[in-house]
Amino acid sequence: MDQRTKPEEELANELEIGQNTRQALMDKVAAFANQYLEALPKAKAYDGKEVNQDAFTIGEQPKTIEEILTIFKEQVTESGIRASSGKHFGYIPGGGIYASSLGDYLAAITNEYAGIGYASPGAVAMENEVLHWLKKLFSFPETSVGNLTSGGSIANLIALTAARDKYGVKNEKIPNSVIYLTPQTHHCIQKSLRIIGLEDVIIRYIPVDERYKMDTEALERQIQADQSEGLFPYLVIGSAGTTDVGAIDPLDEIGQISQRHGLWFHVDGAYGGFFIMTSKKDLFRGLEKADSLVIDPHKSLFLPYGIGAVLVKDAEAVLQSNLYMADYMQDALSDELAKDPANVSPELTKHFRALRIWLPLQLHGIAPFISNLEEKLLLTTYFRDQLIGAGFRVGPKPDLSVSYFWYPYQGNQNTFNRRLLHYIHEDGRAFFSSTILEDKFVIRMAILSFRTKKETIGQAMEMILTCLEKTKEEFGA
């Protein structure tokens, strides 16, 4: 029978699934997930095959769960980057621990509204507890406010908007206002500035040293020069783990300079922030001087994509940027406005994100997360040594777990290494990305997946050497 000929009440009731059907669906989805995870170690990390757009067509007739899972497997999991793979060394891997998926499942089933404490006091209390843990971890005062966001981009947007409103950077003040960052600063900063109406501010790109860290003497000179010219410096942005090379800026010196000149000091630690829990913690000295901080649990806390975090010391500035009440929400007003996530974020309706971080921290404890981070640091050193032994050149010793390499071909090195990466992508057993540093094309290695182990590095090296021989043969080297 055509679905449209069914009585409306019968059709409407189909969205409410009975217990037996729920169990049957869950069994099949769980079986699919288990098969996926069991096959993951041997699966390619990248496949450049094209997706069949027609396979996703939404039609009138329902499909079986088997048909749906087949489409998902063939058109989603088997094309592009396999982000859950331990052989994903490109961009900034996350991995996606299993316990977080259970948190997301429960969040979706209960559908708690996590924006206002009045609606779900428990969900909001859980988010605030996660933020409280982050405040302690990064030595931010308890009076700071925070928010769990979809990722670093929205987290940076919240922080930069608060800085804008704290310093009143608007209207005719915009063209004379100055922001300081380095060429290594993540591009989401420029996106955020454009979104919040600051496209016309003056951006000073402070030079970096040989390890791609901000030159603080150059920063000091530039601020003084701008102040003497009657400009309005107000914001300095430091990085705690850059995307290109994993560098941590001299945070303590930047913090001192910012305080001395009365500037807002923002730190983007989206990638590297949680390495503060490891033997590298001394590199983060001075982070506590920051006025705002961004960290991404879906990076160096190994969670699935979709959770970032921001901490801001000036609660009033964040509320000024985001708080706006409507008459229909008058029942939800509370005396502690900053404790409601919707008041300190552009989002009113938001996913119950706290559960995807709170549940695994409770289930596993913190120690396994720290051990995994320490392991990634060791694996980075090991991978670099393997590459050097195979005749590759590598960048300076990294602060964290991102580095880069290239093959010293005697001809056009950029062309040679571009071709090498082409063969690496064509092979697909492991995935790497690239970047440009001082006009040099280099291949990036970002080691962050909790599934990356010593044997994973061995498999990646085997692939790299195979692709190197192909490239040499093509170039007659």
Side-chain angles (χ1 to χ4, degrees):
M1 182 173 68
D2 190 300
Q3 267 213 316
R4 288 168 295 183
T5 65
K6 292 182 180 180
E8 293 297 330
E9 183 178 2
E10 184 180 342
L11 277 173
N13 288 338
E14 287 191 3
L15 294 182
E16 183 59 72
I17 298 175
Q19 180 178 352
N20 291 338
T21 305
R22 286 200 302 268
Q23 188 61 56
L25 290 172
M26 194 64 211
D27 287 346
K28 290 171 183 176
V29 170
F32 175 90
N34 287 332
Q35 290 168 7
Y36 176 87
L37 293 173
E38 289 299 314
L40 192 55
K42 294 183 179 179
K44 294 174 68 173
Y46 177 75
D47 194 321
K49 75 174 186 179
E50 293 185 6
V51 168
N52 177 16
Q53 183 67 44
D54 291 339
F56 298 103
T57 300
I58 299 172
E60 292 288 340
Q61 298 302 315
K63 288 182 170 63
T64 65
I65 189 64
E66 290 85 0
E67 291 172 320
I68 293 167
L69 290 174
T70 297
I71 294 170
F72 180 66
K73 177 180 183 292
E74 295 177 352
Q75 304 299 326
V76 178
T77 71
E78 295 179 354
S79 63
I81 302 169
R82 196 177 293 263
S84 51
S85 171
K87 293 175 286 186
H88 173 24
F89 301 102
Y91 308 110
I92 301 294
I97 56 176
Y98 183 78
S100 277
S101 69
L102 301 179
D104 278 344
Y105 175 72
L106 292 173
I109 287 293
T110 61
N111 201 28
E112 296 287 343
Y113 176 68
I116 301 289
Y118 172 82
S120 182
V124 170
M126 185 184 292
E127 172 156 339
N128 285 323
E129 177 54 33
V130 171
L131 293 168
H132 179 65
W133 176 68
L134 293 174
K135 291 175 194 177
K136 290 194 295 183
L137 181 61
F138 294 102
S139 300
F140 265 54
E142 289 187 13
T143 53
S144 304
V145 298
N147 198 264
L148 299 181
T149 68
S150 60
S153 293
I154 298 300
N156 275 302
L157 183 78
I158 292 171
L160 298 183
T161 306
R164 177 199 68 183
D165 293 345
K166 169 74 172 180
Y167 287 81
V169 180
K170 55 185 178 181
N171 302 327
E172 69 280 354
K173 198 171 184 177
I174 292 175
N176 291 319
S177 298
V178 190
I179 297 173
Y180 304 88
L181 41 81
T182 79
Q184 288 292 308
T185 302
H186 196 277
H187 70 280
C188 74
I189 295 294
Q190 282 88 345
K191 284 180 62 177
S192 294
L193 293 174
R194 187 190 310 157
I195 291 169
I196 65 175
L198 298 185
E199 187 174 8
D200 295 325
V201 296
I202 300 169
I203 297 180
R204 301 294 193 202
Y205 289 96
I206 305 301
V208 295
D209 62 18
E210 68 281 357
R211 297 187 65 191
Y212 300 97
K213 299 169 179 282
M214 182 183 286
D215 181 339
T216 53
E217 292 184 0
L219 172 65
E220 177 80 55
R221 289 194 300 269
Q222 187 64 64
I223 292 173
Q224 292 176 349
D226 289 336
Q227 288 175 333
S228 67
E229 292 179 13
L231 299 175
F232 182 63
Y234 83 98
L235 174 62
V236 182
I237 299 172
S239 296
T242 59
T243 301
D244 270 2
V245 300
I248 299 177
D249 285 326
L251 303 176
D252 197 44
E253 295 175 50
I254 298 173
Q256 293 177 32
I257 292 170
S258 299
Q259 290 177 352
R260 188 158 56 246
H261 293 282
L263 277 62
W264 183 293
F265 177 30
H266 173 65
V267 174
D268 183 355
Y271 150 59
F274 287 103
F275 280 95
I276 199 172
M277 298 189 291
T278 71
S279 55
K280 296 284 189 173
K281 62 183 179 183
D282 287 347
L283 292 173
F284 294 87
R285 187 168 58 89
L287 188 148
E288 72 281 353
K289 293 183 172 67
D291 295 285
S292 54
L293 168 68
V294 164
I295 54 268
D296 271 359
H298 68 205
K299 292 187 174 76
S300 47
L301 211 59
F302 314 113
L303 272 58
Y305 294 137
I307 181 165
V310 61
L311 300 176
V312 183
K313 289 179 178 175
D314 193 323
E316 290 302 317
V318 182
L319 287 170
Q320 179 182 346
S321 304
N322 296 282
L323 177 62
Y324 203 94
M325 298 304 298
D327 290 341
Y328 77 93
M329 292 185 65
Q330 60 183 346
D331 297 336
L333 283 172
S334 69
D335 294 332
E336 297 181 272
L337 293 171
K339 285 191 174 182
D340 284 337
N343 293 339
V344 292
S345 163
E347 295 180 288
L348 180 57
T349 302
K350 62 178 293 181
H351 177 59
F352 183 15
R353 298 186 184 104
L355 198 49
R356 60 162 38 200
I357 178 172
W358 181 85
L359 190 152
L361 287 175
Q362 296 286 6
L363 184 65
H364 298 300
I366 296 171
F369 293 90
I370 299 173
S371 295
N372 262 285
L373 289 171
E374 293 284 10
E375 180 186 45
K376 303 313 159 231
L377 295 171
L378 293 171
L379 288 175
T380 302
T381 299
Y382 175 73
F383 205 164
R384 283 165 53 88
D385 289 344
Q386 295 295 302
L387 287 163
I388 292 170
F392 286 88
R393 302 282 175 82
V394 298
K397 183 179 179 181
D399 287 334
L400 302 175
S401 66
V402 173
S403 188
Y404 61 92
F405 61 95
W406 73 96
Y407 191 78
Y409 177 65
Q410 293 303 309
N412 189 319
Q413 287 189 8
N414 282 359
T415 302
F416 184 93
N417 284 281
R418 284 182 189 275
R419 196 61 180 164
L420 171 59
L421 186 63
H422 165 79
Y423 283 122
I424 288 173
H425 286 171
E426 188 175 70
D427 184 294
R429 280 177 285 171
F431 178 77
F432 294 84
S433 58
S434 65
T435 192
I436 301 291
L437 296 169
E438 298 170 359
D439 298 323
K440 179 188 286 292
F441 179 93
V442 296
I443 301 172
R444 290 178 62 258
M445 45 182 279
I447 302 177
L448 197 59
S449 172
F450 70 99
R451 293 189 174 103
T452 301
K453 305 296 177 183
K454 186 177 179 181
E455 56 268 26
T456 321
I457 304 297
Q459 294 165 5
M461 276 302 305
E462 181 181 344
M463 183 204 68
I464 289 171
L465 293 177
T466 299
C467 295
L468 177 61
E469 289 307 310
K470 284 186 179 180
T471 312
K472 284 182 174 181
E473 183 178 345
E474 180 180 329
F475 279 71

